[in-house]
Amino acid sequence: MSDEMKNQVDPDQKVTDAAVTPAENTSPADTQAEQTPVSPAPETAPQPETPQEAESLQKFCPQCGAPLAPDGTCSTCTKAGKKSGKKTAAIVIAAVVCLAVLAAAGLFAAKKYLGKGDEQITLFRQGLLPVKVGEQWGYIDQNNNFAINPQFDSAFGFGDNGLALAKNGEKYGFIDKKGNFVINPQFEDANGFDEHGLAAAKSNGKWGLIDQKGNFVINPQFDSSFYFADNGLAAVKSGEKYGYIDKKGNYVINPQFSYASDFMDSDLAAVKSGEKYGYIDKKGKFVINPQFDYASYFADNGLAAVESGEKYGYIDKKGNYVINPQFDYAFYFADNGLAVVKNDEKYGYIDKKGNYVINLQFDSASTFDDSGMALVKNSDQFGFIDKKGNYVINPQFDDVHEYSSYDKDLIAVETGDKYGCIDRKGNQVISGKDYIYQIYPDGIIFAQGKKAGVLKKDGTVLINCSYDGVGSYDSEKFCTNDDCYNYKSADSLYCYTHKPKTSSSSSYSTMPYCDFYGCLNRVEYSWNDYCTELSFMED
């Protein structure tokens, strides 16, 4: 198994109550390296014959780090939405799939959970939190009193409009804070309401847009959910092609692409035409002709990572190479002007001219976050560096769940056989827990044994571990040993391990299942099929 996939989930990784102390400022060997352009290799399309070959051929999204589908598209970036994309880029682990994927997918879930308009993600939404008792979900307040008794098959957090998505039987609807359905269960799937009071909903196999009364303002007709960018356009899928619609549901750019990204913050969108990627403007005109094997979003510095001949470089908005293709992998530029790149199985950081600021030396590395730190891994231990490559927290953790934190102060870590939380100076704040799943400004979801509860940020218990689920994850939807597989040629998603952890789409469930980009509940996310084989089957 490649290091990239090993970092996703290791069933033997346990956690201890090891002491954590702030690290002194130490610097890994960091000599300046010169940029050496590499000529693009000839395009090939090798077919894997073993799980190991499948791993080596797996490619990841340069924008969010998620594994790409066989056609080279990234459903995570598309589903996560504009506001999610920013946070994803800030915390993505470069090719450490677990961290990157859970960050993106957790925020995708937050879109379903909250809706695109919510700027701050909190655990108690409108003062209420969904919890699971047995097979049913209800809502409690911060005093652990039931405000809405368990009665739903799935339940999600309340949005700012006072409505929450809930499921009865096989249908979704929206409830108020008294638990009454304001919009009756009638949809096959739905997302939370955005800041405009609109929500994507699925009916008869097609997606449309509803208002807060449940009326379709754009009739269900599309094959994917969607959201509108600031320019008023949304990428939609119809049949096998993508196009763009306006807020009335009219096509502004007819379906013609095999893949189309959202416009995000840029005036350009990456699209796939035939087998190549290029960039279009809001009228659908190619500004940069299709010529790349993959293309990501443009960062704030005006550069986008692209792949050509199995090497990655960076282009400007005119399609000119600013940094020639020379990296095995290249990621989105962070706000501090540095981007993670990979060569010869090591990761480092470059500036916008392609010069190494932090030399290739890490087994994995993350994009710098807003606090100015980046998560890196060496010798199977995780730590944090500053923008000069100096360790601000020395490598000492078996794993660091930076993706799981929606709070600016705390980070979940694993050491030995226990979970805990550290602050951003490396001080241990919480220790000795069987599991820490997600950290919010108003609470931390944790588990002891087979029950879940909520901690305060100082480690004291807010909600006792007495629930079968906390958050939005339905414990009945998980992969088991009988429906999990290692590799399937028709699918780029893998399931190597079984570990009783939670899905990135949820808060906590006590049922064991495979992690997100293994098998998870792919039916709920409209992926093509469930996990079907336990192990790789040779011909």
Side-chain angles (χ1 to χ4, degrees), residues 459-478:
T460 59
V461 175
L462 178 63
I463 304 294
N464 289 324
C465 276
S466 58
Y467 296 106
D468 298 306
V470 174
S472 61
Y473 182 67
D474 186 340
S475 64
E476 291 301 315
K477 295 186 171 72
F478 63 94

Side-chain angles (χ1 to χ4, degrees), residues 446-526:
F446 80 114
Q448 292 291 96
K450 294 185 177 182
K451 295 292 184 178
V454 179
L455 296 171
K456 297 179 182 178
K457 287 175 62 176
D458 63 3
T460 59
V461 175
L462 178 63
I463 304 294
N464 289 324
C465 276
S466 58
Y467 296 106
D468 298 306
V470 174
S472 61
Y473 182 67
D474 186 340
S475 64
E476 291 301 315
K477 295 186 171 72
F478 63 94
C479 287
T480 69
N481 289 343
D482 295 329
D483 60 15
C484 190
Y485 71 109
N486 278 15
Y487 172 73
K488 187 177 178 182
S489 60
D491 199 326
S492 65
L493 308 178
Y494 305 93
C495 192
Y496 287 103
T497 59
H498 300 278
K499 195 173 185 180
K501 289 189 176 180
T502 61
S503 129
S504 57
S505 66
S506 68
S507 295
Y508 188 83
S509 172
T510 60
M511 302 300 289
Y513 67 95
C514 299
D515 72 285
F516 185 83
Y517 265 89
C519 340
L520 184 59
N521 172 27
R522 290 164 50 200
V523 170
E524 181 169 331
Y525 291 100
S526 302

Side-chain angles (χ1 to χ4, degrees), residues 99-147:
L99 299 183
V101 169
L102 295 180
L107 286 162
F108 162 48
K111 181 186 175 188
K112 188 182 190 76
Y113 193 77
L114 308 174
K116 176 173 172 276
D118 297 85
E119 293 290 346
Q120 184 182 41
I121 298 176
T122 57
L123 181 58
F124 287 84
R125 296 293 301 179
Q126 300 286 311
L128 301 180
L129 172 66
V131 295
K132 186 179 184 184
V133 178
E135 301 299 320
Q136 297 291 298
W137 290 82
Y139 292 81
I140 59 170
D141 60 25
Q142 290 182 310
N143 295 318
N144 201 20
N145 298 316
F146 271 101

Side-chain angles (χ1 to χ4, degrees), residues 32-81:
Q32 190 77 11
E34 296 182 358
Q35 175 187 359
T36 305
V38 178
S39 300
E43 183 176 356
T44 59
Q47 295 299 314
E49 296 181 355
T50 67
Q52 291 75 24
E53 290 182 19
E55 295 169 43
S56 68
L57 295 175
Q58 173 66 67
K59 294 182 178 180
F60 302 89
C61 175
Q63 170 68 18
C64 75
L68 299 178
D71 64 356
T73 61
C74 177
S75 62
T76 299
C77 281
T78 304
K79 291 177 182 294

Side-chain angles (χ1 to χ4, degrees), residues 187-241:
F187 308 113
E188 296 152 20
D189 201 353
N191 289 336
F193 283 96
D194 64 17
E195 66 267 40
H196 305 296
L198 301 175
K202 187 178 183 181
S203 181
N204 295 321
K206 299 292 183 180
W207 286 87
L209 209 62
I210 61 171
D211 60 22
Q212 295 182 70
K213 294 182 179 180
N215 300 316
F216 275 104
V217 295
I218 296 179
N219 287 327
Q221 57 191 290
F222 306 109
D223 293 309
S224 62
S225 61
F226 55 91
Y227 85 97
F228 286 96
D230 288 343
N231 66 0
L233 300 184
V236 295
K237 184 180 181 183
S238 180
E240 297 300 318
K241 297 295 183 180

Side-chain angles (χ1 to χ4, degrees), residues 12 59 99 103 154 293 318 339 372 409-410 412 423 480 483 494 520:
D12 297 323
K59 294 182 178 180
L99 299 183
S154 291
D293 298 320
K318 293 182 179 180
D409 300 321
L410 300 181
D423 64 23
T480 69
D483 60 15
Y494 305 93
L520 184 59

